[in-house]
């Protein structure tokens, strides 16, 4: 067993006068941009997480904002429209909130097809209706031809956090079970299959879905759910590293327990990608104390979006701030935070 105690992998600051694609990849470069540019600019009231819980009228709300720049805009299982709705709902749900309403803004490049815009708008409406979370306001802007790239979407969402619910990355604790709700890497490979013209024995369909119903089932058990996170950009690797660093704990994964579909494994092998770093849009990670593992798993498996839930690791005292995985051969490897983005414009 390798002793990782005291290890650190410092990365040099990427001091560049221009924004590069890696700044939007959800990895270390994104974290540096948030930490050293946006957080100081916005002040201490801004949350570095995907949604912020704030007091309001004697209660608590969750507020989230996000932007979507997916290419291609349409892919097996969805489009940028579904992603915008489901992704914003999921950011709220990961705070334990019940989503209440959304806003959405379209940034359109001059010359984009009205029919395509209509398809995306219809997808937004259908996804919001299916989730039971209305879009209550919006905006539209058009930029010069060549100043954008088709359609970009910006969203905001508001949700209500029930009394007694406190779900936050800093609550990850030694001994916690780490649970994934189902197969990983599906969304990233679905988008990549269209972009790169890859073909598989079966069509890989994006897992985009609203997760607030699944979260409600988990919280409804009465279990003290410590952390929830939807592993989108940067995949499971980025999410677990962010949680480990925030809570100053280690995460130990069992690589043989990771639910990686054959098509995802094949695509990653072909392209030299790590499935743990591939984006997901309808999966969640949960950190729960050992006593809560059984009831939470049962609740998840009783919901359509959590039928494949399983324990993939534990939260440990060793190697704080790091994620390691026990391999099928009995070795141990460090699961690094991705530096930039493996797959451009994936969500």
């Amino acid at each position: 067993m390798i002793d990782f105690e005291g290890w650190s992998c410092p990365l040099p600051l990427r001091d560049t006068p221009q924004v590069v694609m890696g700044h939007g990849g959800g990895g270390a470069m994104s974290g540096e941009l948030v930490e050293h540019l946006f957080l100081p600019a916005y002040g201490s009231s801004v949350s570095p997480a995907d949604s912020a819980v704030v007091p309001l009228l004697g209660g608590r709300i969750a507020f989230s904002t996000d932007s979507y720049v997916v290419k291609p805009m349409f892919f097996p299982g969805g489009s940028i429209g579904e992603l915008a709705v489901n992704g914003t709902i999921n950011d709220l749900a990961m705070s334990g909130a019940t989503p209440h309403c959304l806003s959405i803004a379209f940034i359109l490049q001059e010359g984009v097809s009205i029919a395509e815009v209509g398809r995306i708008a219809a997808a937004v409406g259908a996804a919001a209706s299916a989730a039971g979370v209305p879009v209550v306001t919006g905006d539209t802007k058009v930029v010069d031809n060549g100043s954008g790239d088709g359609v970009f979407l910006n969203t905001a969402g508001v949700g209500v956090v029930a009394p007694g619910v406190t779900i936050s990355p800093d609550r990850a604790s030694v001994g916690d079970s780490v649970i994934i709700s189902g197969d990983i890497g599906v969304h990233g490979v679905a988008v990549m299959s269209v972009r790169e013209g890859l073909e598989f024995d079966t069509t890989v369909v994006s897992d985009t879905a609203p997760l607030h119903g699944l979260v409600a089932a988990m919280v409804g058990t009465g279990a003290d759910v410590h952390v929830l996170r939807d592993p989108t950009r940067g995949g499971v690797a980025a999410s677990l590293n962010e949680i480990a660093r925030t809570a100053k704990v280690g995460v130990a994964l069992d690589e043989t327990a990771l639910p990686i579909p054959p098509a995802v494994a094949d695509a990653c092998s072909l392209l030299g990608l790590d499935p743990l770093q591939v984006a997901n849009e309808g999966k969640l990670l949960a950190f729960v104390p050992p006593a809560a593992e059984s009831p939470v798993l049962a609740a998840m498996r009783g919901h359509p979006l959590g039928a494949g839930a399983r324990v993939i690791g534990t939260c440990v005292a060793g190697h704080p701030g790091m994620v390691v995985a026990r391999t099928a051969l009995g070795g141990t490897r460090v699961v690094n935070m991705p530096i930039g983005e493996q797959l451009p414009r994936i969500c």
Side-chain angles (χ1 to χ4, degrees), residues 44 52 63 65 77 83 113 128 132 145 150 158 171 194 199 232 250 253 257 272-273 282 301 346:
S44 60
F63 177 74
T65 186
L83 285 188
S113 164
N145 193 356
V158 175
R171 294 197 66 215
V194 178
E199 295 184 0
T232 53
L253 298 179
L273 305 176
R301 291 168 177 167
I346 211 73

Side-chain angles (χ1 to χ4, degrees), residues 7 32-33 42 66 87 95 123-124 156 169 173 176 209 217 228 300 325 341:
W7 279 32
E32 291 176 3
L33 197 65
Y42 294 161
D66 210 341
S95 295
V124 167
S173 304
D176 280 357
L228 292 173
M300 295 176 74
E341 186 165 19

Side-chain angles (χ1 to χ4, degrees), residues 28-328:
M29 293 179 74
S30 294
E32 291 176 3
L33 197 65
V34 170
E35 181 180 356
H36 299 297
L37 190 151
F38 290 119
L39 292 184
Y42 294 161
S44 60
S45 62
V46 66
S47 168
D50 284 333
S51 63
V53 177
V54 296
L56 180 70
L57 299 177
R60 293 182 300 159
I61 67 165
F63 177 74
S64 177
T65 186
D66 210 341
S67 299
Y68 295 83
V69 293
V70 186
K71 187 175 183 178
M73 294 185 292
F74 303 93
F75 45 83
S79 71
I80 189 173
E82 286 93 350
L83 285 188
V85 171
N86 294 337
T88 307
I89 287 172
N90 293 345
D91 286 345
L92 296 170
M94 296 307 107
S95 295
T98 299
H100 180 69
C101 59
L102 306 172
S103 75
I104 189 159
F106 278 65
I107 297 90
L108 309 175
Q109 179 180 264
E110 181 184 20
V112 69
S113 164
I114 292 292
E116 284 194 343
V117 177
R119 285 179 64 190
I120 294 168
V124 167
S129 177
V133 184
V135 176
V136 296
T137 188
D139 185 44
T140 305
K141 293 291 188 297
V142 178
V143 297
D144 293 337
N145 193 356
S147 298
D149 192 3
V151 178
F152 295 161
L153 300 181
N154 176 263
T155 63
V158 175
V160 178
V161 183
V165 174
T166 304
I167 297 173
S168 174
D170 60 7
R171 294 197 66 215
S173 304
V174 173
D176 280 357
S177 297
V178 181
I179 300 172
I180 188 77
S181 61
D183 290 346
I184 65 173
V186 179
H187 173 72
V189 170
V191 174
M192 181 170 54
S193 68
V194 178
R195 184 185 298 163
E196 305 297 337
L198 300 178
E199 295 184 0
F200 307 101
D201 291 337
T202 58
T203 301
V204 180
V205 177
S206 172
D207 60 348
T208 179
L211 296 170
H212 57 308
L214 176 59
V215 171
M218 297 165 67
V219 173
T221 65
D224 182 17
V225 178
H226 287 169
V227 184
L228 292 173
R229 178 66 62 88
D230 56 331
T232 53
R233 290 178 305 163
V236 170
S239 293
L240 291 180
N241 272 282
E242 289 170 358
I243 293 166
R245 292 176 184 179
T246 299
K248 298 179 175 57
V249 296
V251 175
L253 298 179
D254 177 1
E255 202 164 63
T256 63
L258 296 172
I260 303 172
V264 172
D266 290 346
C268 290
S269 178
L270 177 67
L271 298 172
L273 305 176
D274 184 346
L276 287 170
Q277 295 184 359
V278 177
N280 311 270
E281 286 292 340
K283 300 297 185 299
L284 65 78
L285 290 161
F287 283 57
V288 301
E293 179 185 306
S294 292
V296 168
L297 273 176
M300 295 176 74
R301 291 168 177 167
H303 190 281
L305 296 178
R310 63 173 71 181
V311 176
I312 60 171
T314 56
C315 203
V316 298
H319 52 80
M322 295 179 63
V323 181
V324 302
R326 174 72 67 177
T327 69

